[in-house]
Each structure stands twice: as structure tokens, then as C-alpha cells.
Amino acid sequence: MNVFLKTLVFGLTIYANNISRVNAPGKDENVVIKNKVEKYQFTFGDKNAPVVVNQEDMVTYQCNDFRTSIGYAEFYDAQSAITSIKARVNGKKFGVKPVHQAYSVDGFFYSDAKVCLFELPLNEKGSESSVELSKVIYDPRYLTSIYFSEGYFTKVKQIVLVIPSWMHVDIKEMNFDKGKITKSVQRDSKNDSKIITYTAKNVKARTSEAYAPGPSYIYPHLLICSQFAETKDGKVNYFNSTDDQYAWYRSLVKMMKSGDPSVAEAAKKITAGANSPTEKAKKVLNWVQDNIRYIAFEDGIAGFKPDNAHDVLSKKYGDCKGMANLTKELLSASGLDARLCWIGTNHIAYDYSIPSLAVDNHMICAVKIDGKFHFLDGTESYIGFDQYAERIQGRQVMIEDGDHYILEHIPLRTLEQNQVIEKRQLAIKGNDIVGTVNLEYTGEAMESLLTGIHSTEKQDTEKSLTEFLSESDKKCEIKQLKTSDLKDWNQDLTINYDVKHQDAVTQFDKEMYLEIDFRKEFKNLIIDTTKRETDFIFNFKRILIHETSLELPPGYQVQNTPAPVNIDRDQYSFVSVYKSSGNQLIYTKCIKIKDTHLPISAMKQWNADLKQLTDQYNNQVTLVKK
């Protein structure tokens, strides 16, 4: 399956045929972590880094069965450094040869993070290999989340925090109800410190399930909020409040260069012909979406400082921060009130009530028109103005306001934003079913389709679209394909074509057997509840509507149709029914994903309901000669 079809199948309608495959993450039970200790100690640094955090990791891996090896990886960035690595195999020193490289995805830098990699052997059953790693974090702000779970089953995991009396830290214990964790606190009077030790035993390996909530929702962890330090040179403020967090973000924004003539010149060209602030905003958003390539390259101060707008404009690519800054600068040059915004997507469980770098992972832009903020996310390539992706809907957003900030929420959108409406007029011709099809896509449903279309070469656009519409069925022939403007995603996308389904009718004597639902959305999307460990998160709410009218052959009438389906739950609904009307067989189907969050407790009901829908899919229509 090509990349385009993968995008559509999994991103648009999730026409999955084997969900059990993604519900059973691979687990290497041959390897376990016998013991791991992570120690974090706050100490005085120097003039440039008044307080640093010294991290010491000690981990022992154990082989349960057959000889193997593991890949060890540790991340660091501009605000941290690995100072030493030691390894042992069965108690003997092992000379590691770590490889240090930039962390990248698909050939692009993912952030300014680097990764230290090396291979560690486990020579036989019962053998043990261990690693001792030292790391320094130059700014306590960057010590955020510490998780108890690892990539392997862990027999004992300890997290030790050594906090001197001059360092003020708020430790938030997150999801502790999902694990058995003990805590002890000791006083080190000699060093005037508090030693906090958390111990977890028999910790399950972290899973890698598709469509799972973000880890901050499901795994026990500590959220470390460094507030301030009392040093010999005075108080050093970190994030004692949300005001402090914004002030720090603001200081990074002030480092950028703005007002470059190239941006003003581009803005003038982009907004030419726009007669209102809204039209200007639409033109700017569309231009950024269409001309700036989004790559997750988070350059700067450990990924928090946006790139200059004129640099993004020149390079024609940027990460979310760079694209947000360019959008703001283009809007500002067009005379609009534009602001940078920080936001955490729905992958993150926190909001700005917690002052921490862990609360946000994204940056967008806001424009104020007639006293109302509209939010623009240039990384969403094909979604219209005032339409919002599921990942940011309802999320708290921090909007810059000079030396102050505004906290608002991204507007929620109903499932009606994301619709697929398909209408078919069909007839039987020999053993084939032929007719016309009219399709309409809106919102994120449209974005998923357009993302796939525009990911292909221009000369392959029609071919790829045809493959999607036919679902790569060689017996489905599509001709006279016409679409609305694929470059205008502020309007609904329409697709019209003629279709022929070859050999779709089986005839025996005076009877015909056929099916007229050629989509069968969600067929076999059965969730294996014996293996699934996390809730299921659909990528967006949606409505899928199908209306098919089949003209009956002369002298034939409907003898049998699949039983109707009428299911309505809090998270979803399936309604599908056949009825006769004169010489027409009318088939209507409406599938709604009303809530993207399907909890484990609802999965058995989902499976039962989906089986009922799938049973209808699997039954044929019978026509009989009068």
C-alpha cells in the first residue's frame, strides 16, 4: 500500500482489517530490568548556570532465556550533557563505544536533541549487564517528567531526589493510583538536604499501542516543578508561577528579529485583493499551509525558541514555532493584531495551572478580529480558517499580550465539522453494477484526503485518488473523475465520477445476489480486549453518510435485504437500513464517532456493536424475478 493510501486508510476512515495486530505490542520477555535507580541531585553551578541537576542512572538488565543484546539510548540536548558511561557484563568491565548523533525522523532533525547509542550484550540465560551513566542538566526547568515505567518489565525501580534546603521544588505525583509505589523521606543534616526516595516494584513494560492516549494520562510519574533557588548571589527564579513561565517564554521571543522587509513584501503580495481582515487572515494562513513545509525541527534553546520569520520565509520550511512566528509576522505586516500562542495538544494531560515545560508541546498563532481571537495552525496543512484539529480543540492556550498573557481555550467543534457524504446512483448491467458517485468532504476528513493527494507528484494525483476511491480493487473502474479546487480548503471538497463494479452480481436461475455497500467502514475493527492495555483514541470526531439508490432490473423485485442496524451509544452510533421504493432499492448508512475517547470499559460493547454492523456488511441483497 502506498503512503497516500496509508494516510487515508488510517487517518481518514480507519478502514482497518486487523486491529488485533496493533493491539498486541511486541514485548521482549527475554529481557527484564532487575533493578534501576535514577538519582537527581540539585547543586550550585556557576554564573551562567546557577543551579544544575546531576543525574546518576544505574540499571541492571537480566537475560531470562536465550542469548541476545539490547540497544541502550540516552537523550541529551543543548541544556544537558552526558559526562560518563560505564558498563559491565556479568560483573566485568565492558568497553562501550557509544555513538552520538542528532535525533531525527525520516531524515529530518526532530529537535535539537541528540542521542547516545550503544549495544549491550546478554550472553546467555541468567547473564546480567549493567550501565552506570552520569548526566548534568544545566537548567532545572528542563527536569520535568520522570516515569517509573521502562521499555522492559522492571522488578525494582527507584527514583531518588536530593533537594537541598535552598532549592524550592514542587513534586507532583501523577497517576499513582495506577501503580504500587512507596515513598520515604530522609533528612541529611550534614548537607542540609532532603532525600526523597520512591520505589516501585514489578512495573509493567511501557506498551506501544496504536491510537493510545499520551503517556502522561496512563503511566505513574513525577512532575518536577522547580520554583526558585536561594543562592549566595540572591534569589534565582524558575517557574514559581505561570507568570514566571510566560516571562521566560517572552524572553525567548524577544531574542528573535522582527520587521524584516522581506516579510512585509511577502505579506503585501499574499494579501493582495483581500478586502477585510478575515480575508487577509485566510490568505496568510492558506499561503503558509501551502508554501511552508512543516518539519519537526525544533532548533534553538532546547526546542523552545522560535526561528526568525524571515529565515522560515527564506528556507520555506520550519517547525511549529517557526511557522507560528512567520504567520504572526505576515499578519502583523498586513495591519492585523496577531499573537504567538503556546499550547499543549491532547497528547498531554496537563494545562497551565501547572507551571512547567511539560504542559505544552506546540505553538500556533492567534489573530484578533472584531474583538475575537481566531487561532491559526500552519502545521495543519489542509484545514480551513476557523476550523480546528481535534488535537487542539478545547485545549487551554496561552496567548501573548505584551508583558502579560491571556489564557483561553480553543473552541470546540462538533463532529459535523468533519463529514464524508457519499451519494450513489446505481444500476445493474449484466453482472456489473454501474452508476455515478458524488462525494463531499469537510474539515479533518477533507484534510486527511488532501494530505494524501498533495503528498504525491502532480502527475500521480489522479492515479492516487482513483486508487483510494476504488480501494485498490482492480474490479472497480472509475472514469470521468472531477473534483473541486484542490487548492482551496476553505470550501468543501467535492468529487464526482462514474463507476463500474465488475462481476458484482451473481445470478442463479431467477435470482440475483449482490451487495451495494462497497466501503464497509470499520469492518473488522474488533479490539482484542485480552491484549489491549490502554483506551482507544480516534484521531477525530466525524460523520460518515452514505446514500445509495439502486435501480432494479425490469421484472425483478427485492426478496431479501440484510437486517437493519440501529445502535446509539455515547461515543458512537451505527445506523444502516435498506428499503424498497418503487423500482428502487434505497440503502442509507450513517456512522458517527461522537467522542474520540473509547475507554477500555466500553470496548466489549464496541466489539458487539461492530459485529452487528459487520454481519450486515457480510449479508447480500437478493433480487428475484417476478
Side-chain angles (χ1 to χ4, degrees):
M1 182 182 293
N2 63 30
V3 173
F4 169 67
L5 287 178
K6 285 183 180 178
T7 300
L8 292 168
V9 171
F10 290 97
L12 174 58
T13 50
I14 318 180
Y15 295 157
N17 290 321
N18 189 4
I19 196 65
S20 61
R21 179 176 59 84
V22 299
N23 283 335
K27 295 181 180 178
D28 187 359
E29 296 179 355
N30 184 42
V31 177
V32 299
I33 293 176
K34 182 180 179 180
N35 183 68
K36 182 170 185 180
V37 178
E38 291 183 28
K39 183 179 180 181
Y40 300 86
Q41 184 168 6
F42 293 82
T43 64
F44 287 125
D46 56 25
K47 180 176 63 176
N48 296 320
V51 178
V52 300
V53 182
N54 291 318
Q55 177 181 344
E56 300 288 338
D57 288 1
M58 294 162 281
V59 57
T60 300
Y61 299 92
Q62 188 177 60
C63 180
N64 281 343
D65 195 358
F66 51 86
R67 177 177 180 174
T68 186
S69 62
I70 61 170
Y72 186 93
E74 179 67 22
F75 290 89
Y76 61 101
D77 53 40
Q79 292 297 318
S80 61
I82 295 172
T83 55
S84 72
I85 300 175
K86 298 177 182 178
R88 291 181 178 274
V89 175
N90 293 325
K92 296 181 180 180
K93 289 184 179 179
F94 178 76
V96 297
K97 296 180 179 179
V99 175
H100 295 260
Q101 63 187 40
Y103 180 48
S104 63
V105 175
D106 295 332
F108 290 104
F109 294 110
Y110 181 72
S111 69
D112 69 347
K114 293 180 174 59
V115 60
C116 172
L117 301 164
F118 61 89
E119 195 170 350
L120 194 64
L122 288 164
N123 294 326
E124 60 185 358
K125 181 178 179 178
S127 64
E128 295 181 357
S129 293
S130 61
V131 176
E132 295 181 14
L133 178 140
S134 297
K135 180 178 174 180
V136 59
I137 302 170
Y138 298 119
D139 187 333
R141 296 179 183 90
Y142 290 95
L143 177 60
T144 55
S145 304
I146 307 174
Y147 282 79
F148 289 91
S149 54
E150 298 284 337
Y152 300 97
F153 176 84
T154 304
K155 293 182 178 180
V156 181
K157 169 77 174 280
Q158 284 190 315
I159 297 173
V160 181
L161 299 164
V162 182
I163 306 172
S165 61
W166 50 263
M167 185 68 199
H168 296 262
V169 179
D170 181 22
I171 302 173
K172 298 186 182 297
E173 300 169 351
M174 313 299 289
N175 300 329
F176 268 40
D177 59 325
K178 299 176 181 178
K180 295 180 179 179
I181 301 167
T182 60
K183 174 183 176 181
S184 67
V185 181
Q186 294 177 304
R187 293 295 309 177
D188 181 353
S189 55
K190 180 180 178 180
N191 296 302
D192 194 18
S193 298
K194 179 170 58 176
I195 303 173
I196 306 173
T197 302
Y198 292 91
T199 303
K201 295 183 178 180
N202 299 322
V203 183
K204 287 183 178 180
R206 288 178 69 164
T207 62
S208 181
E209 293 184 312
Y211 306 105
S216 58
Y217 289 96
I218 54 181
Y219 295 114
H221 63 282
L222 301 174
L223 200 56
I224 311 298
C225 302
S226 294
Q227 298 172 320
F228 63 93
E230 297 171 296
T231 74
K232 63 182 180 178
D233 296 321
K235 181 179 179 180
V236 178
N237 221 29
Y238 293 108
F239 289 166
N240 197 27
S241 66
T242 305
D243 291 350
D244 294 334
Q245 183 172 354
Y246 175 74
W248 187 75
Y249 284 169
R250 178 77 172 154
S251 71
L252 301 183
V253 170
K254 287 180 177 178
M255 294 180 187
M256 298 185 300
K257 297 177 181 179
S258 61
D260 191 274
S262 64
V263 177
E265 183 180 347
K268 185 177 180 180
K269 292 179 180 178
I270 292 167
T271 60
N275 297 316
S276 69
T278 299
E279 285 301 313
K280 287 182 180 180
K282 285 182 179 180
K283 282 180 173 285
V284 167
L285 175 61
N286 286 11
W287 189 89
V288 171
Q289 290 172 316
D290 198 31
N291 292 274
I292 304 300
R293 184 178 182 184
Y294 169 60
I295 59 171
F297 176 47
E298 302 184 3
D299 199 3
I301 302 176
F304 284 91
K305 178 179 174 291
D307 203 357
N308 292 317
H310 61 271
D311 290 332
V312 177
L313 179 65
S314 174
K315 295 182 296 187
K316 293 292 188 291
Y317 68 82
D319 72 341
C320 65
K321 299 181 303 300
M323 294 179 76
N325 190 40
L326 174 60
T327 304
K328 174 198 169 178
E329 291 288 311
L330 289 170
L331 291 167
S332 296
S334 303
L336 301 182
D337 180 0
R339 322 279 184 95
L340 290 175
C341 302
W342 294 262
I343 188 172
T345 66
N346 61 5
H347 189 73
I348 292 177
Y350 329 116
D351 63 19
Y352 288 101
S353 63
I354 300 175
S356 168
L357 295 181
V359 306
D360 51 36
N361 61 347
H362 193 36
M363 206 165 180
I364 59 176
C365 176
V367 59
K368 198 172 188 179
I369 300 174
D370 296 331
K372 177 185 176 183
F373 281 117
H374 303 264
F375 299 95
L376 288 68
D377 185 353
T379 69
E380 296 288 345
S381 298
Y382 306 106
I383 197 166
F385 181 79
D386 248 3
Q387 294 184 335
Y388 302 117
E390 186 72 37
R391 65 179 182 148
I392 65 171
Q393 284 183 37
R395 300 294 296 179
Q396 192 179 50
V397 59
M398 176 184 281
I399 308 169
E400 69 172 337
D401 191 30
D403 289 334
H404 304 280
Y405 61 92
I406 300 168
L407 290 179
E408 285 200 8
H409 287 82
I410 303 293
L412 288 168
R413 293 291 182 251
T414 65
L415 63 164
E416 282 76 14
Q417 175 187 266
N418 313 315
Q419 290 193 110
V420 179
I421 301 175
E422 183 170 22
K423 296 183 178 181
R424 294 173 172 246
Q425 296 286 334
L426 303 177
I428 295 173
K429 187 175 181 180
N431 290 331
D432 302 332
I433 293 179
V434 300
T436 60
V437 181
N438 305 103
L439 277 161
E440 181 179 309
Y441 289 82
T442 68
E444 287 192 84
M446 176 177 65
E447 182 187 27
S448 293
L449 180 58
L450 290 176
T451 297
I453 290 174
H454 293 299
S455 69
T456 63
E457 296 294 333
K458 289 185 178 180
Q459 60 268 28
D460 293 333
T461 297
E462 183 172 341
K463 179 182 177 182
S464 294
L465 181 56
T466 300
E467 284 183 4
F468 166 67
L469 295 171
S470 67
E471 298 186 18
S472 299
D473 183 354
K474 294 182 179 180
K475 290 191 174 184
C476 179
E477 182 180 308
I478 291 176
K479 292 184 177 180
Q480 301 298 319
L481 181 64
K482 296 178 182 179
T483 69
S484 58
D485 185 356
L486 300 181
K487 291 289 186 181
D488 184 2
W489 42 91
N490 280 299
Q491 303 294 326
D492 296 344
L493 171 64
T494 60
I495 303 172
N496 303 309
Y497 58 92
D498 295 338
V499 67
K500 177 195 285 187
H501 294 278
Q502 300 176 20
D503 300 324
V505 180
T506 302
Q507 298 190 43
F508 292 102
D509 196 16
K510 296 182 178 181
E511 294 180 337
M512 290 185 178
Y513 301 91
L514 57 110
E515 55 185 60
I516 56 177
D517 188 336
F518 298 98
R519 296 294 180 202
K520 300 180 175 63
E521 295 91 348
F522 298 97
K523 182 181 180 181
N524 294 334
L525 190 61
I526 300 296
I527 300 173
D528 189 341
T529 56
T530 65
K531 296 179 180 178
R532 186 79 185 186
E533 296 184 7
T534 61
D535 296 347
F536 192 100
I537 307 296
F538 292 96
N539 46 12
F540 54 86
K541 300 183 291 287
R542 73 201 72 183
I543 301 179
L544 306 175
I545 298 173
H546 290 255
E547 299 176 4
T548 298
S549 176
L550 175 70
E551 182 180 350
L552 300 179
Y556 278 82
Q557 63 185 12
V558 177
Q559 183 183 59
N560 184 58
T561 59
V565 174
N566 191 350
I567 296 167
D568 190 11
R569 309 292 180 199
D570 290 340
Q571 292 89 10
Y572 57 89
S573 66
F574 306 145
V575 178
S576 181
V577 63
Y578 292 83
K579 68 176 182 179
S580 298
S581 178
N583 70 331
Q584 302 283 322
L585 174 62
I586 309 297
Y587 171 62
T588 58
K589 177 177 63 179
C590 180
I591 294 177
K592 296 180 181 180
I593 301 298
K594 298 183 283 186
D595 187 341
T596 58
H597 183 194
L598 184 70
I600 287 180
S601 60
M603 288 180 185
K604 286 187 178 180
Q605 186 63 63
W606 163 272
N607 287 345
D609 293 339
L610 194 61
K611 183 180 183 303
Q612 187 177 339
L613 180 64
T614 302
D615 287 345
Q616 188 199 59
Y617 287 155
N618 292 335
N619 287 321
Q620 291 185 309
V621 173
T622 304
L623 305 182
V624 64
K625 202 164 188 178
K626 298 177 183 177

